[in-house]
Amino acid sequence: MMHDFKSLLVTHEGPVLTVQLNCPETGNAISGEILDELLVVLGALDEESGIRVLVLSGAGKDFCLGGDRAEFPALLAADPTGVGLRALGNKARRVCEALASTDVVTVARLHGGVVGAGVGLAVFCDLRVGADTCRFRLPELGLGVPPAWGGIMPRLLHEAGAARIRELILTADNFDATTAQELSILHKVVPEAQLDGAVTRWIKPLVRRSPSALRTAKVMLNAYANANRLADATLFDAELLSSALTAASARH
C-alpha cells in the first residue's frame, strides 16, 4: 500500500489501514482525484494484503463537506454534454460499492461537518462513530440537484428508514449527532477527544476474528440487506446527476 497519494494520508499498522481524506483546505470535498485514490486503496484490499480493518477519517476541522462543486463547471466546460460528470458519478458509485463489498471491516470516524457525499462515504462503512459535535446535512435539493451520488439513496433508506430520510432530503435541514444515532447513521456518539478510543475498542476484537468468518459474515449481511431489491436503480445515479447539472448550466 505504498503509494504517493496527493489527497489521502494512508497509514498501515499491522492488520489496520487508516485512510484519511487529506484536503482540509476544501473541507475534504470529494474530488475526482480523491475518488481515484480511494479506488486504488480499496482495490488493493485482497486476502493477501493482510488488512482486516480500514478506518476512514478526515483531516482538519471537518470529515467531509460534500462533493467538490468547483469541479463541476470545469467538467461541463470541457464537455457540455455531461460526459465528464457521468464519469465522475460512476466513479463515486464504484467507491461506495467497494466500501460496502470489501471483505475488510470498514469504520468511519466522523467529526465536524458531514455533508452530502460525506454522508454517503460514511453510511457505506460497516461501523460509524461520530463526535457529539458532528453536524450532518443532505443539501442536494437546496443546491438544485437530485440526491444521486454514489448510490446513497437505497443505502440511507435501508439504514435509517424511508420516512425520516424523506424529511431530511426534502427539507435539506441540518441534524446533529444525537439525531444521526437515532437514525442509525451513527452507531456510537462520543466526545471528540474519545473518537480514537472508540475506534480502537472496535478494532481490538475485529482483528482477532477468523478472516474467513468475517468475510462470510459481510457477504451474508450484504446479501440479506439487498434481498428485496429487484433492480439496482442506482445505476442511473450518474446519469441523473449529469442531466440535472447540464440542464442547470444551459439555463444560465
Side-chain angles (χ1 to χ4, degrees):
M1 201 69 66
M2 300 302 292
H3 293 273
D4 185 19
F5 294 114
K6 293 182 179 179
S7 299
L8 302 178
L9 181 61
V10 179
T11 56
H12 183 187
E13 186 174 349
V16 180
L17 191 73
T18 299
V19 179
Q20 186 177 63
L21 307 177
N22 194 31
C23 297
E25 67 282 358
T26 67
N28 298 313
I30 303 299
S31 64
E33 181 175 79
I34 285 181
L35 293 172
D36 285 333
E37 293 184 357
L38 285 171
L39 285 171
V40 171
V41 173
L42 294 166
L45 296 179
D46 55 24
E47 290 186 50
E48 296 179 0
S49 70
I51 303 298
R52 308 281 287 282
V53 179
L54 182 150
V55 180
L56 182 64
S57 65
K61 65 178 184 178
D62 299 299
F63 170 71
C64 175
L65 295 183
D68 186 356
R69 294 194 296 275
E71 204 169 36
F72 298 160
L75 290 172
L76 279 172
D79 190 329
T81 66
V83 170
L85 288 170
R86 286 193 291 278
L88 185 69
N90 283 321
K91 203 178 293 183
R93 186 175 183 276
R94 287 164 53 207
V95 166
C96 292
E97 283 182 342
L99 276 172
S101 63
T102 177
D103 294 339
V104 170
V105 177
T106 51
V107 177
R109 177 197 182 279
L110 308 178
H111 73 290
V114 186
V115 179
V119 178
L121 285 182
V123 297
F124 277 96
C125 290
D126 299 310
L127 299 170
R128 304 176 290 271
V129 60
D132 55 9
T133 52
C134 275
R135 308 174 313 281
F136 296 81
R137 190 174 179 227
L138 296 167
E140 286 80 4
L141 285 186
L143 299 171
V145 296
W149 189 91
I152 186 176
M153 183 73 80
R155 184 77 173 192
L156 278 172
L157 293 175
H158 183 268
E159 297 283 289
R164 293 301 304 277
I165 293 303
R166 184 183 302 119
E167 176 191 10
L168 294 172
I169 286 175
L170 293 177
T171 64
D173 281 347
N174 290 297
F175 57 103
D176 61 15
T178 299
T179 301
Q181 186 175 31
E182 291 170 356
L183 294 171
S184 298
I185 290 172
L186 289 177
H187 295 98
K188 288 184 180 180
V189 176
V190 298
E192 188 164 344
Q194 297 177 23
L195 274 174
D196 290 331
V199 171
T200 298
R201 282 191 292 276
W202 273 333
I203 288 173
K204 283 184 176 179
L206 285 171
V207 297
R208 295 196 297 265
R209 303 286 186 253
S210 157
S212 61
L214 270 183
R215 284 195 301 274
T216 302
K218 283 206 59 175
V219 169
M220 291 175 66
L221 287 166
N222 287 330
Y224 286 120
N226 294 327
N228 294 323
R229 288 173 62 182
L230 299 179
D232 190 356
T234 65
L235 290 169
F236 298 109
D237 275 9
E239 186 67 42
L240 289 169
L241 185 60
S242 173
S243 297
L245 289 168
T246 302
S249 176
R251 287 196 297 272
H252 298 305

